[in-house]
Amino acid sequence: MEALYKSRIRKDRTTKLLCLGAAAFGLTWLTLILFTLFSKGFAGLSLDVFILTTPPPGSKTGGLANAIVGSVMMTTIGVAIGTPIGLLAGTYLAEYGRHEKLSFYIRFINDILLAAPSIVIGLFIYGLIVVPMGGFSGFAGSLALAVIVIPVVVRTTEDMLNLVPNQLREAASAMGLPRSIVIRKIAYKAARTGIITGILLATGRVAGETAPLLFTALSNQFWNVNLMKTMANLPVTINNFVQSPYQYWQQLAWTGALIITLAVLTLNIVARVLGSERKAS
Amino acid sequence: MKFNTILSSSLIAGMAMFGLSNVQAAEITGAGATFPYPIYSKWADAYKTETNNALNYASVGSGAGIKQIQAKTVTFGATDAPLTAQELAKDGMAQFPMVMGAIVMVVNIDGVKPGELVLDGKTLGDIYLGAIKTWDNDAIKKLNANVKLPSAAITVVRRSDGSGTSFNFTDYLAKVNADWKSKIGVGQAVEWPAGVGAKGNEGIAGNVAQTKNSIGYVEYAYAKQNNLTYVSMINAAGKKVSPSLAGFQAAASNAQWKSEEGFYQILTNQPGDASWPMTAATFILMYKDPSDKAASAEALKFFGWAYDKGGKAAEELDYIPMPANVVTMVKAMWAKDIKSK
Amino acid sequence: MSDLTVSAMADLTASTDRSRALSAFKLSDKTFYWLTRISALTVLFILGGIILSLIVGAWPAMKTFGFDFLITRRWAPQLSPSPILGALGPIYGTIVTSFIAMLIAVPVGIGIAVFLTEFCPPSLRRSIAIAIELLAGIPSIIYGMWGFFVLAPFMTDYFMPAVIAIFENVPVLNVIFAGPPSYLSLFNASLVLAIMILPFITAIARDVFETVPHMLKESAYGLGCTTSEVVKNIIIPFTRTGIIGGIMLALGRALGETMAVTFIIGNSFQISGSIFSPGTTISAAIASEFAEASGVHMSALILLGLLLFVLTFIVLAAARYMLARLEMKQGK
C-alpha cells in the first residue's frame, strides 16, 4: 500500500513538474522574443523614424514615415469597410436568424473564414481587384484587410448580442417599439462595449498582417497617399528590409517591428480592459 | 489656448506634408533587376537633387520587372537577362544597355579574408551542383594551398526569384562546367540542385552575411557596400583575377554592340588576361509606342542624364559606364524608334 | 408615442398619422432586416468568391498538369515551351512542418493549460495567462525575423550538430536527423511554428477545461485522487472532443502560416529525408514566387493556394464539428 501511495505521489509530482516546465517553456520564448524585439528595435527609435521616408539602400539616414502612414491608412479603411458589414451580419445572426438553418451555415462558413490562411485572401483580392484594375493599389490592400476583419466582427457581434438578456428586448417590444429600433437602440447599447472590443481585436489582427498585402498593395519607397497606386506599409517594408545586408535597413526593420508589436499589443490590452470593465459592470 | 496651437500647427504640418508631396514634379516608375539597384538609387538621389524629378524603382528582380513592363504597370523594366530581338518584336519593345557590372562570389568562412579564396569555373559549378559538399574538398584545396579551410559543409545560397543575375551566373557555369550545362542549363530560374533560396541580390548578401560557411553570388556593389568576403577567380585565360574595375572593363572591352539586335550581349567568360569572368550588362526595356508618352519622355531624360553625367558615380561603385560610341547608338535608337508624341 | 392617447385615436387625422407611422416603421423594419440579411449573406458570397476566383485562376494549371501535379516533385518554371511544375515539395514541407509543430506544441500547450487551471497559485494565474496570450498577439512577421536572426543560428550551431551526432548510428532516425545542418531548414521553421500556435492550444484547452463540472472534479478529489490522476482520468476524457477540436484549429492555423515560415525554411523544392535540410511550404512558395510569376507558373501557384484552402477547410470543418459535439454534450 505504502509503495502504491508513494508511486502515485511520485507520478503526481512528475506530472506537475512537466506542466510547470511547459509553462516555463512558453514564457521563456515570449521573453526571448520580446527581449530581442525591444533591444534591437529601441536602438533605432527616434523622431526621424516617424518623419523621414524610407531610404535607398546603403543610406545612413531615413525613416518609416510613408510605411507608417500607409499602414494606418489601409488598416483604418479596411476596418471601416469591414466593420459595418460584420456588424450587420452579426446582428442578423443574433437577432433575426438565431435559429434558422441558413444561420447555421453562415456561422459555420464564418468560422472557416476566421481561420483561413491570409495568403489565400491575398490571392482572392489579386484575382478580384488587382487584375481587373491593371495594377497594385492601396485600395486592393485595404479590401484584403477588410475581408479579414469581417469574420472577426461577425463573431464578436453575434456573441455579444446573444448575451443581451431577452427581457430587455421583450420589454421594449411591449412598449410598441418596432424590431429595428429594438435592435438599434436597446440591444446595441447593451452590447456596445463588447462590440467595440471585437472591433479593436480585429484592428489589432490586421495591423500586423503581411501576407495579404504582398500582392495587393505591394510597397512604395516614396511618400504616397493615393489609394489607387501602390502604397508603402510597415509589414511589407519590414519584410523587404530585414533580409537585406544593409545595416541601416535592418535597423529600420527592427524598429518598425517594434512599432507594430507595440500598436497591436496596446490594442489587445485596451480591448481586454474594456472587456473586463463590462464583466465587472 | 494650448489646444488651439496644437490643432493649428498640426493642420499646417499636415498641409505642408501634402503640399510637399505635390512639389515632386515628375515621378518615373520602373521595376526590375536588383543587380543595378545600388547605382540606380545613387543616380536617382543625384537626379532628384538636380531636377526635382523622382525615380520610383522597385527592385524586385529581372523576372518581375519583365512581367511588370509587359503588364504596362511601369514606364520601364530593367533586366540583366536581355530579351532576344524576336521577343522584343513580339511585345513592341525597345531594349538598350544602361550600365555594366560584375557578379562576384561571396563567402562567409572564419579567417578567410576578401580575395584570399580562389575558385575556378569548374569547381564553382561543382559546388553549386552539390557535387562538392565540404570546404576542405580536394578540388578547392588544390586551388588554395595557403588557406586554412574548415571541414564544414558548404551552405550554397542562390536566388529563389527569377533573376537576371542568375541568368548570367548560370550562363557562366554552363560555359565552364560541362556537367552544369547538361544537367541544369541556363536561365533566370533554374532547378537548383542544392542550397537555399534568397530573394534578390540583397537576400543572397544578407543570407551569406548571416550564415557561416556559406557561399553566394552577388553584384560587386553589394559585396563592397557591405564588406562581404569576395572570392578571386581563374578566368578564361587561366589567370587569377580579383574583382576590380580594371578587370571588369577588360572584359567589357570585348563587347560588340549592335543596335538592330536590341543590343543583346552576354559578357561572361570573356578572353583576356585581366578579364573578370562574370561581367554582365544590365538593360532597360521600354515600349516603342508607349501609352503614356509623357512618362516615357521623362524616363528617357533620366537615362540621358545618367549616360552623360552618371559615369563617375557608377565607377565609384565599380560599375562600368557604357562607352561613348554605344551611347551615341542608343540615343539614335531613341530618336528613331521610341515615339514621344 | 405620447400623442397616441385615447382621444387622439378617436380622431380621424390621428389614425392616419398612426397608420403612416406604422407603415414607416414597417418600411424601416423591412429595410433593416434585409440590410442585415444581405450582410450575413456576404459572408457566404466571400467564401464563394474565394473558391471561384481560386478555381478560375488555377484552371490553366489544372488543365495542363491534371492530377500529376500532386505527385510531381520537379518545379521548373522556366522550361519552355511548357514548364514542369509539381506540388510534391510544398505539400511535403507543409505536412512535415505542421506535424512537427503540433508534436511540440500540443503537449506543451495542454501542459500549460493544466498548470493554469489546476495548480497555479491564483495570484499568478492572471498574469501568466495574459503573458501566454501576448504570444498570440505578436504579428507573425516578427516570429519570422526572430527565428531568422536568433533561433536559427542557435539551433544550427548547437542543437542540430548534437542531435545529428546522437542519432548517427541509429537506423531509421539517422535519416530523419541527418546533416549537414542548415540554417534555413524544415526543423527551424517547425519550431517557430510551434511557438506560434502554442497560445491557441492553451487558450482552447483552458476554455474546455473550465467546462468540466466542479462536482466531477471534487468527487474525484474526495476519493483521494492526486491532481494528475484527476487530470488523466476525469478532465481529459471529459473534454476529449473539445481538445481534439482545439488541436485541429491550431493545425489549421499552422498549415496556412506564411510569414513566420518563409524567412527560415530555405525555399528549396528538393525533398530530402532529413528535417535539418531546407524545404518549402505551400504558403512560402506562393509568397516567394507570386510577384514575378506569369502564365502557367502563376496558375500553378494559385492552384497551390486552392489546395491549401481546401486542406484548411477540411481541417477546420472537422474541428468545428468536434467542438459542436462537445457543446451538445453539455446540453447547450
Side-chain angles (χ1 to χ4, degrees):
Chain A
M1 273 310 276
E2 197 58 28
L4 180 61
Y5 181 69
K6 280 220 174 87
S7 88
R8 284 172 62 209
I9 296 283
R10 227 182 314 126
K11 269 194 217 140
D12 185 50
R13 285 220 184 96
T14 326
T15 315
K16 281 196 175 141
L17 209 64
L18 285 175
C19 289
L20 191 65
F25 185 78
L27 290 175
T28 314
W29 292 125
L30 176 73
T31 326
L32 280 175
I33 295 177
L34 287 182
F35 179 71
T36 313
L37 191 60
F38 272 84
S39 57
K40 286 203 173 171
F42 242 21
L45 205 56
S46 70
L47 198 58
D48 273 358
V49 169
F50 293 95
I51 295 186
L52 300 176
T53 56
T54 50
S59 160
K60 301 277 190 299
T61 58
L64 294 169
N66 50 341
I68 295 177
V69 166
S71 267
V72 168
M73 274 183 76
M74 285 197 281
T75 308
T76 315
I77 295 177
V79 171
I81 296 178
T83 306
I85 300 178
L87 201 62
L88 290 172
T91 311
Y92 180 81
L93 290 177
E95 300 290 329
Y96 291 108
R98 203 180 281 201
H99 303 290
E100 266 183 10
K101 194 81 177 158
L102 177 68
S103 306
F104 172 73
Y105 290 121
I106 296 181
R107 268 185 218 109
F108 182 73
I109 300 291
N110 190 61
D111 284 341
I112 306 278
L113 282 181
L114 199 57
S118 52
I119 196 164
V120 168
I121 311 278
L123 287 178
F124 167 52
I125 299 289
Y126 180 82
L128 190 69
I129 307 280
V130 175
V131 170
M133 258 182 76
F136 302 100
S137 62
F139 175 64
S142 312
L143 281 185
L145 296 183
V147 170
I148 299 180
V149 164
I150 290 176
V152 181
V153 176
V154 169
R155 187 81 192 281
T156 42
T157 308
E158 191 202 343
D159 284 348
M160 291 304 135
L161 283 177
N162 276 338
L163 287 177
V164 174
N166 265 336
Q167 285 96 316
L168 282 176
R169 294 191 184 86
E170 283 160 13
S173 292
M175 289 209 298
L177 287 176
R179 192 100 184 255
S180 61
I181 297 199
V182 170
I183 299 176
R184 274 186 291 147
K185 298 251 188 261
I186 309 294
Y188 276 173
K189 265 223 172 74
R192 188 178 48 201
T193 338
I195 295 179
I196 294 182
T197 309
I199 298 176
L200 285 177
L201 285 175
T203 314
R205 165 118 185 243
V206 293
E209 284 282 348
T210 319
L213 297 175
L214 278 177
F215 10 90
T216 49
L218 221 60
S219 189
N220 192 324
Q221 65 204 80
F222 289 116
W223 182 261
N224 172 38
V225 291
N226 180 358
L227 274 179
M228 291 304 145
K229 293 200 292 182
T230 61
M231 193 169 249
N233 55 81
L234 270 178
V236 177
T237 306
I238 293 175
N239 184 42
N240 292 342
F241 281 10
V242 83
Q243 281 202 321
S244 75
Y246 302 105
Q247 292 291 56
Y248 195 67
W249 268 13
Q250 280 192 5
Q251 179 59 66
L252 279 180
W254 282 105
T255 310
L258 181 63
I259 295 176
I260 290 187
T261 312
L262 285 178
V264 169
L265 290 182
T266 312
L267 282 167
N268 279 349
I269 291 176
V270 170
R272 183 184 305 280
V273 165
L274 271 183
S276 61
E277 263 175 27
R278 180 184 54 80
K279 274 201 194 116
S281 68
Chain B
M1 246 334 90
K2 196 154 179 236
F3 176 67
N4 276 335
T5 358
I6 298 176
L7 184 62
S8 45
S9 43
S10 45
L11 270 175
I12 293 174
M15 288 195 299
M17 286 206 292
F18 276 99
L20 274 173
S21 68
N22 290 325
V23 167
Q24 235 171 20
E27 195 183 87
I28 308 156
T29 59
T34 57
F35 182 87
Y37 188 40
I39 184 56
Y40 284 177
S41 57
K42 202 165 170 197
W43 280 340
D45 253 358
Y47 191 65
K48 178 115 195 276
T49 323
E50 219 180 273
T51 66
N52 212 26
N53 293 330
L55 173 70
N56 188 350
Y57 182 73
S59 166
V60 288
S62 303
I66 295 178
K67 185 177 157 207
Q68 285 208 32
I69 184 65
Q70 280 172 337
K72 299 195 179 154
T73 48
V74 287
T75 310
F76 71 88
T79 168
D80 331 311
L83 297 185
T84 59
Q86 285 162 308
E87 288 165 331
L88 290 169
K90 191 169 70 117
D91 285 313
M93 289 206 262
Q95 177 175 267
F96 53 92
M98 198 61 223
V99 72
M100 293 180 276
I103 302 174
V104 303
M105 305 308 300
V106 285
V107 294
N108 182 338
I109 307 174
D110 273 338
V112 172
K113 294 196 246 325
E116 227 189 324
L117 190 68
V118 180
L119 290 174
D120 68 2
K122 175 134 195 340
T123 321
L124 186 57
D126 286 340
I127 292 178
Y128 268 79
L129 278 169
I132 296 182
K133 295 203 214 289
T134 52
W135 280 115
D136 60 352
N137 183 289
D138 288 333
I140 305 181
K141 281 217 278 225
K142 206 169 70 160
L143 297 164
N144 293 282
N146 300 328
V147 181
K148 194 164 173 301
L149 294 162
S151 66
I154 305 179
T155 301
V156 170
V157 186
R158 34 83 180 175
R159 293 284 288 268
S160 63
D161 49 338
S163 155
T165 317
S166 290
F167 174 78
N168 283 292
F169 180 64
T170 51
D171 183 271
Y172 173 67
L173 288 182
K175 282 180 179 159
V176 296
N177 187 312
D179 274 338
W180 184 273
K181 184 166 179 187
S182 57
K183 288 195 197 141
I184 311 288
V186 182
Q188 289 184 40
V190 295
E191 286 178 86
W192 301 95
V196 296
K199 221 175 170 60
N201 267 287
E202 307 91 351
I204 295 193
N207 265 284
V208 170
Q210 182 74 7
T211 313
K212 284 209 269 279
N213 301 317
S214 57
I215 182 170
Y217 55 93
V218 292
E219 205 287 326
Y220 184 54
Y222 288 90
K224 195 169 173 194
Q225 277 179 335
N226 299 289
N227 296 318
L228 297 175
T229 309
Y230 52 80
V231 172
S232 302
M233 303 283 299
I234 310 278
N235 65 9
K239 301 267 186 280
K240 173 177 121 143
V241 280
S242 285
S244 69
L245 189 55
F248 310 156
Q249 279 167 334
S253 62
N254 287 303
Q256 313 271 10
W257 299 97
K258 293 200 185 66
S259 170
E260 327 63 87
E261 291 169 9
F263 295 99
Y264 189 95
Q265 192 79 231
I266 310 280
L267 291 170
T268 53
N269 210 30
Q270 292 294 317
D273 281 353
S275 298
W276 177 256
M278 293 190 286
T279 316
T282 184
F283 301 82
I284 303 287
L285 296 169
M286 287 176 70
Y287 278 98
K288 286 187 173 169
D289 189 4
S291 41
D292 186 347
K293 296 194 168 47
S296 180
E298 278 301 328
L300 289 179
K301 270 200 226 138
F302 169 73
F303 294 131
W305 175 92
Y307 278 138
D308 298 333
K309 301 204 192 157
K312 188 158 161 298
E315 283 177 357
E316 273 167 16
L317 283 178
D318 293 305
Y319 285 90
I320 312 155
M322 300 308 299
N325 61 330
V326 180
V327 174
T328 321
M329 278 198 274
V330 170
K331 287 187 177 170
M333 185 269 283
W334 289 349
K336 191 169 96 140
D337 287 338
I338 299 187
K339 296 210 180 100
S340 52
K341 303 242 184 285
Chain C
M1 299 286 196
S2 52
D3 41 352
L4 293 176
T5 55
V6 176
S7 51
M9 276 170 67
D11 193 21
L12 196 61
T13 37
S15 72
T16 333
D17 282 340
R18 180 166 168 263
S19 54
R20 218 184 299 144
L22 280 177
S23 50
F25 284 150
K26 202 165 173 191
L27 183 64
S28 71
D29 256 7
K30 219 173 167 78
T31 323
F32 192 70
Y33 172 74
W34 278 106
L35 208 60
T36 56
R37 192 141 202 239
I38 292 176
S39 304
L41 290 173
T42 311
V43 172
L44 290 180
F45 293 149
I46 291 178
L47 181 80
I50 292 179
I51 297 183
L52 197 66
S53 73
L54 286 179
I55 293 183
V56 164
W59 186 247
M62 289 201 272
K63 241 185 10 194
T64 317
F65 301 115
F67 277 109
D68 280 347
F69 190 66
L70 293 173
I71 51 178
T72 312
R73 187 210 54 82
R74 254 187 113 186
W75 186 267
Q78 83 295 348
L79 286 182
S80 55
S82 169
I84 298 179
L85 299 168
L88 201 60
I91 292 179
Y92 172 76
T94 308
I95 294 180
V96 167
T97 48
S98 304
F99 179 70
I100 297 178
M102 299 298 287
L103 216 56
I104 299 175
V106 168
V108 176
I110 295 184
I112 298 181
V114 168
F115 171 72
L116 282 175
T117 44
E118 292 308 309
F119 56 93
C120 177
S123 47
L124 287 177
R125 184 168 300 171
R126 194 126 187 261
S127 15
I128 297 185
I130 291 180
I132 301 289
E133 279 174 37
L134 279 185
L135 267 180
I138 298 178
S140 52
I141 189 170
I142 282 137
Y143 278 99
M145 287 165 67
W146 176 78
F148 181 70
F149 283 103
V150 179
L151 188 66
F154 178 75
M155 284 290 140
T156 315
D157 289 341
Y158 301 107
F159 184 74
M160 286 191 199
V163 173
I164 293 173
I166 293 177
F167 288 111
E168 205 160 344
N169 297 311
V170 179
V172 170
L173 293 173
N174 67 351
V175 172
I176 300 180
F177 295 111
S182 172
Y183 264 73
L184 307 179
S185 63
L186 290 170
F187 177 72
N188 287 343
S190 311
L191 193 53
V192 173
L193 212 50
I195 301 174
M196 269 201 82
I197 60 178
L198 195 57
F200 290 101
I201 297 183
T202 305
I204 297 205
R206 271 185 74 206
D207 281 347
V208 298
F209 282 172
E210 269 158 26
T211 63
V212 178
H214 281 244
M215 281 291 263
L216 236 56
K217 289 198 284 191
E218 273 157 31
S219 37
Y221 282 123
L223 286 177
C225 287
T226 62
T227 318
S228 48
E229 280 164 359
V230 173
V231 170
K232 198 174 109 188
N233 297 308
I234 308 289
I235 298 183
I236 304 267
F238 187 84
T239 57
R240 192 177 42 216
T241 336
I243 298 274
I244 297 182
I247 291 176
M248 299 191 82
L249 270 180
L251 177 63
R253 182 80 205 251
L255 288 172
E257 186 47 52
T258 315
M259 292 325 291
V261 171
T262 314
F263 275 77
I264 46 175
I265 194 145
N267 291 314
S268 165
F269 284 83
Q270 307 285 349
I271 298 183
S272 106
S274 166
I275 59 171
F276 292 150
S277 60
T280 187
T281 64
I282 295 180
S283 30
I286 299 175
S288 296
E289 301 197 358
F290 196 78
E292 63 198 23
S294 57
V296 184
H297 186 196
M298 177 187 276
S299 181
L301 289 172
I302 299 183
L303 182 53
L304 276 179
L306 181 61
L307 286 172
L308 179 65
F309 190 67
V310 169
L311 191 58
T312 14
F313 192 100
I314 295 176
V315 169
L316 290 171
R320 283 289 138 203
Y321 174 69
M322 300 236 172
L323 287 172
R325 281 257 307 267
L326 181 65
E327 276 176 14
M328 246 165 41
K329 224 163 56 157
Q330 298 173 321
K332 277 215 186 118

